[in-house]
Amino acid sequence: MNLGNYLLYRLSTALTVLFGASALSFGLVFLTPGDPAETILDQREDTHPTPEAVEAFREAEGLNDPIPIQYVDWVVGISNGDLGESYYSSQSVTTLLVEHAPTTIELALASMVVALCIAVPAGIVSAVHRGDRIDIGSQLAALIGVSMPNFWLGYLLIIVFSLYLGLFPVSGSGSLSQLVLPAVTLGSGMAAIITRLVRTAMLDELESEYVTAARAKGLRERLVLYKHVLRNALIPVITIVGLQFGFVLNGALVVEVVFQRPGLGMLLVDSIFARNYPVVQGIVLLTAVIFVVTNLLVDLSYYRLDPRIRLGGTNS
Amino acid sequence: MDPLLRVDNLQTEFRLPEKTVRAVNGVTFEVGRGEIVGIVGESGSGKSVTARSIVGLEEPGEIVGGTVTFDGTELTEADRTTKRRIRGSGISMLFQDPGASLNPVLTVGEQILEAATLTHDGPAKSLPAAFGFQSFRRRPLWSDARNEAIGLLERVGIADAERRIDDYPHEFSGGMRQRVMLAVALAANPTLLLADEPTTALDTTTQAQLLDLLADLSEIEEMSIVLISHDLGVVSEICDRVVVLYGGEVMESGPTERVLNNPRHPYTHGLLRCRIDANHSGTKLPTIDGTVPDRFDSRGCPFASRCSYATTECNTTEPPVTTVESTHHVKCSELDSVPDLDAHPTGSNEDQGFDSGTKSLVNDDSVTDPVVRFENVSKEYETNQSVLESVLSGREQLTAVNDVSFVVRPGETLGIVGESGSGKSTIAELMTGLSGLTSGTIRLNGQPVGIAEDRSHDQLNDVGMVFQDARSSCNPRLRVRELVAEPLIEAGWAQSEQWDRVREVLEWVELGPEHADRRPHQLSGGQLQRVALARAMALEPELVVLDEPVSGLDVSIQATVCNLLLELQEQSGQSFVIISHDLKVVSHLADRILVTYLGEIVERGAAESLRDSPAHPYTAALFDAVPTIDGTSGFEPLEGAVPSPIDRPDGCSFHTRCPMVESKCQTESPDWQQVKGTQSRCHFAESVAGEASPDVDGLGNDVDE
């Protein structure tokens, strides 16, 4: 398959995925107990709403229509670029997403940087000094990193670095110093996974005959490692890093609550509690889009990195 | 003058957790300037470790004694940097598997350049420059290097080098990749080339081309070469001197002529005798019993356990080195009792061979129902194209098999021979139903059959298959008994009967029940090939298809597997189809042979007639390409490679490489010509076969519509 065909094929599957994800989330939202009309009017007016007010709200928001009809309305809205309005603030969902997304993306990217800065060097050192103390140490650190829950590490960091040492602010967003602790919290778990992956991939590649051949050419060990081995070892690593990027959004949900960062995670948690369906669906859809796009980018980078790969998996 | 390389009493050990294995145990030899020295021995005899120890790449092994002197520098004591510099400029290496020894993600140009620029820029090269980031100031230098790399590719015989320099290794064929590796090795302008089994993974024709190239390089550039191989035939083609290695020790060394014609060591005798070309076809090949053992101590002669002349003394005392003639040395304490080897023992071992009468041909008249009949079978593949490309330029077809007709008779061994890309493996896939045909009919016992999914249980049970690489065709997690029982389970055998059957089948392939509980990694290559054979034979199929059953095995193991195949076929009366690129192997085992080229059969006939008087220039070239030890190495290797099956040549498909091509060949597709005992698709079949003999009996005739 050539690039054009491949992109066309991937785009069509992406649409199917998005359709499925949105339908599922739409259904799930309606299965959760609680009536959005009552919850929202309750919060808006600060008193228990009258049945007439509830009925009026349901009629206005189309909540009395059968669920499939509501879904179709929603999909038709999306195709016109309209994600609906928040029940609560009457702001358009699009506006809300645009407001909150940068904070989350900032966190996701920063934690990715943290993860890679720890993981790639640690993995390489571990592989090169296989079985040595430094390898065992890094493996142990990776095990701890993988096992530690995000929120617990987050509070631990707050206690040590904010309350005790006073180096970083406890919460909020906007400045670099406010980004450090959440990024470390979120990045360390990923770093653990990626370290082990880099180590295994490096060890696999070091066994290869081309490494001996490169040494037989008289290349320096440094060059053999970084030019020959690392380049091949990073191919499988990139897949996992790409997939992890999707999961960063999940992690952001918890970390944003811990550090009180007004990102998509916070917005999602608030919206779920408030039964603010249009916002929840908007975020789910956005997350699905990000998943699909990062996956596609991973596959394309694979194609770029490994000349042997044929798009669409048709090898000949 | 001092020799270029002197290896003196080299000892290399591998420290494993439970024991220390001594892989190289006191190896001593010299390589003069411009000389080609062959190192010969079976797998495990320490050849590769010796080569790697010379350049300091013996890890995880460790050199524990001896010296390596290269061009006046002592290398075993040298520091890492010195060793590295010697590798970068003085000594280059060529490895067995060119596919694995090239980095898959770098272009071949890059891999040549990095070896070449090392010598240009000296050791003080900055890291960015090494990665290919060149500052503008250095551009001219960079393009010089690139031109030099193109020159190197041309020198090793890669056509269109200027365009191909930016290709990746996987875009080259196996033989071409080995040429690229050679270009990489030559880039540093080495004075010594260590070639570790450089041709073992290649077709015989490609092997002949590469050996030719190495001989030229040595002659023109005065380059010294150490050629490592398990095959004395390969070594004898180009080497000035031969060193026979066993158990990490030099058993015999001397000028090639002397060692081949007047070998003194029993091990050298064994290696020479088990070569197929030294024996009558269909006869049992002499073998060397047992396998190379790991050495843990250095007492006694390492070969004693497998030597028929061994005395108790051989097991306990180190044999002395005897100088037979000025440069011919032998390490053996029983030299007097070892008889002279008849250099060409053809016929001498008929007493232990099979009755040659069993190989007599089945006449056409007696063919009532062939086991398999191919009727005008073609197989085409679609090439990878985008929708847009196929709309604009029409669909591109790759014809792997083109209008092929033949039969496999009951109880015969049919050989199919050709280079890679000649369509022989596709024929095997079609026969076993692993892939489907595009047109024509395949009949199994008279019934038309399709792919494996569409075949009935009985039809599936009638065909067994042995794949080329036993190691990758056996699931590493299963035990031998489970591997062999797989077809039985599929055929619905009761559990209780399975085990008896497995034991019986293992006995056929000469494996004991103690092997049944082992896993593939605990078996040697030869043993694993027996397991694969046992699996294919478990249901006693009428037809066994064997794809390259002995290539990739050491010569000595090749001999035992060939013997086994002959014996099994004689006892069972099954039909065998043996596919190989090695015409010597096929003509040894088969009754009849089909020679394929570019998906077509170009010659067919009885194995003996084909060997005695091949009537197609391609067949003749395939025979020529097989390395022999009888000194007839004035061969002209076949030029180039099999052309692309997408763009087939007009006329005779072989005309682009044929040594006797004429204008007629470029336009007219030749028809079948009957010459002596074979049929050939060549316009000049009769002159190829030597003399015309129009009407001989119809040996080897088959379907010819």
Side-chain angles (χ1 to χ4, degrees), chain A:
Chain A
M1 225 183 284
N2 73 355
L3 195 62
N5 280 359
Y6 181 71
L7 284 177
L8 218 69
Y9 160 76
R10 285 299 294 253
L11 200 68
S12 66
T13 55
L15 281 176
T16 323
V17 169
L18 292 181
F19 189 74
S22 67
L24 216 67
S25 69
F26 201 88
L28 278 178
V29 160
F30 279 90
L31 286 176
T32 49
D35 182 4
E38 278 189 37
T39 319
I40 282 157
L41 290 176
D42 199 32
Q43 285 183 7
R44 212 189 263 172
E45 330 249 301
D46 238 3
T47 55
H48 200 72
T50 59
E52 291 76 28
V54 169
E55 189 51 39
F57 183 86
R58 296 181 67 93
E59 198 57 47
E61 298 290 346
L63 288 171
N64 282 337
D65 294 337
I67 292 173
I69 301 284
Q70 291 186 40
Y71 181 66
V72 169
D73 284 346
W74 185 62
V75 171
V76 168
I78 292 171
S79 58
N80 295 324
D82 177 18
L83 284 169
E85 282 179 3
S86 161
Y87 293 156
Y88 190 62
S89 59
S90 301
Q91 267 178 303
S92 88
V93 173
T94 319
T95 319
L96 277 171
L97 291 182
V98 169
E99 263 174 26
H100 288 79
T103 318
T104 303
I105 290 169
E106 178 186 275
L107 174 63
L109 289 177
S111 59
M112 216 67 201
V113 170
V114 168
L116 288 175
C117 285
I118 300 173
V120 174
I124 294 171
V125 169
S126 235
V128 172
H129 299 278
R130 178 188 199 173
D132 284 4
R133 230 173 279 172
I134 190 162
D135 178 28
I136 296 167
S138 109
Q139 293 253 76
L140 201 69
L143 184 68
I144 294 171
V146 150
S147 330
M148 199 146 43
N150 273 336
F151 63 91
W152 187 72
L153 178 65
Y155 284 123
L156 209 67
L157 290 175
I158 290 174
I159 291 168
V160 175
F161 289 97
S162 305
L163 302 181
Y164 187 68
L165 294 173
L167 289 175
F168 300 105
V170 174
S171 64
S173 76
S175 72
L176 193 64
S177 62
Q178 284 166 318
L179 186 61
V180 173
L181 289 186
V184 169
T185 308
L186 197 50
S188 62
M190 263 192 307
I193 297 170
I194 299 172
T195 304
R196 302 184 72 149
L197 199 74
V198 172
R199 178 179 180 271
T200 334
M202 287 282 289
L203 284 177
D204 276 354
E205 294 298 330
L206 277 169
E207 301 268 303
S208 309
E209 187 82 359
Y210 72 80
V211 178
T212 315
R215 286 184 182 140
K217 277 184 205 174
L219 295 189
R220 302 147 166 263
E221 195 57 23
R222 201 173 45 161
L223 212 63
V224 173
L225 273 184
Y226 294 107
K227 183 176 171 184
H228 286 266
V229 181
L230 189 61
R231 172 114 193 248
N232 279 286
L234 283 184
I235 293 171
V237 172
I238 290 204
T239 323
I240 301 297
V241 169
L243 292 177
Q244 287 281 320
F245 192 80
F247 289 103
V248 167
L249 295 174
N250 281 343
L253 202 135
V254 174
V255 173
E256 280 176 3
V257 172
V258 170
F259 288 94
Q260 293 295 305
R261 292 172 60 85
L264 289 175
M266 280 278 272
L267 181 65
L268 181 64
V269 172
D270 287 348
S271 305
I272 289 171
F273 284 131
R275 307 283 183 275
N276 200 346
Y277 294 166
V279 180
V280 173
Q281 282 149 10
I283 294 175
V284 168
L285 193 68
L286 181 64
T287 316
V289 168
I290 292 175
F291 257 94
V292 168
V293 170
T294 46
N295 261 312
L296 180 63
L297 288 178
V298 164
D299 285 357
L300 288 179
S301 69
Y302 231 85
Y303 173 67
R304 184 87 190 83
L305 279 173
D306 190 343
R308 288 165 299 178
I309 299 245
R310 298 286 187 98
L311 291 170
T314 47
N315 272 309
S316 69

Side-chain angles (χ1 to χ4, degrees), chain B residues 233-449:
Chain B
V234 168
V235 164
S236 73
E237 291 281 346
I238 63 166
C239 291
D240 303 312
R241 282 193 305 117
V242 177
V243 176
V244 179
L245 221 59
Y246 185 85
E249 296 179 26
V250 176
M251 296 285 105
E252 182 161 6
S253 67
T256 311
E257 292 268 297
R258 287 271 322 169
V259 175
L260 293 180
N261 295 323
N262 193 13
R264 300 304 302 275
H265 199 282
Y267 183 57
T268 319
H269 282 202
L271 286 180
L272 281 170
R273 266 210 222 102
C274 63
R275 291 183 45 77
I276 288 172
D277 61 305
N279 289 275
H280 270 312
S281 70
T283 56
K284 184 167 179 170
L285 300 167
T287 56
I288 312 173
D289 293 331
T291 50
V292 186
D294 289 338
R295 294 222 75 192
F296 308 118
D297 57 58
S298 52
R299 283 172 53 228
C301 174
F303 189 57
S305 58
R306 297 169 71 190
C307 180
S308 43
Y309 307 101
T311 59
T312 44
E313 201 193 334
C314 291
N315 285 312
T316 49
T317 45
E318 170 109 12
V321 177
T322 315
T323 303
V324 196
E325 202 173 80
S326 59
T327 49
H328 185 184
H329 309 282
V330 185
K331 189 174 187 179
C332 179
S333 44
E334 294 295 323
L335 263 189
D336 297 334
S337 56
V338 180
D340 281 350
L341 175 90
D342 178 5
H344 305 290
T346 35
S348 68
N349 45 21
E350 240 160 356
D351 52 320
Q352 50 176 328
F354 298 104
D355 178 12
S356 56
T358 58
K359 302 300 287 182
S360 71
L361 284 165
V362 187
N363 272 328
D364 256 16
D365 313 346
S366 60
V367 183
T368 42
D369 299 303
V371 182
V372 172
R373 185 187 283 274
F374 269 51
E375 292 167 5
N376 305 93
V377 172
S378 293
K379 168 73 182 174
E380 287 169 359
Y381 292 101
E382 297 251 331
T383 55
N384 276 324
Q385 275 181 306
S386 73
V387 176
L388 195 68
E389 277 169 336
S390 57
V391 169
L392 289 179
S393 55
R395 290 204 314 204
E396 243 178 18
Q397 301 281 3
L398 184 157
T399 313
V401 171
N402 190 17
D403 193 19
V404 161
S405 303
F406 65 90
V407 294
V408 183
R409 297 160 183 162
E412 79 165 345
T413 301
L414 177 72
I416 302 180
V417 72
E419 293 165 281
S420 356
S422 64
K424 57 192 195 307
S425 287
T426 311
I427 292 178
E429 283 176 15
L430 292 170
M431 209 180 283
T432 48
L434 291 174
S435 68
L437 43 72
T438 313
S439 66
T441 318
I442 299 173
R443 288 178 195 277
L444 183 64
N445 289 322
Q447 297 293 314
V449 286

Side-chain angles (χ1 to χ4, degrees), chain B residues 151-158 179-180 182-183 186 210 213 217:
Chain B
L152 280 166
L153 282 179
E154 280 167 357
R155 204 162 111 204
V156 297
I158 286 178
R179 283 168 192 265
V180 170
L182 186 59
L186 294 180
L210 199 82
L213 189 57
L217 281 171

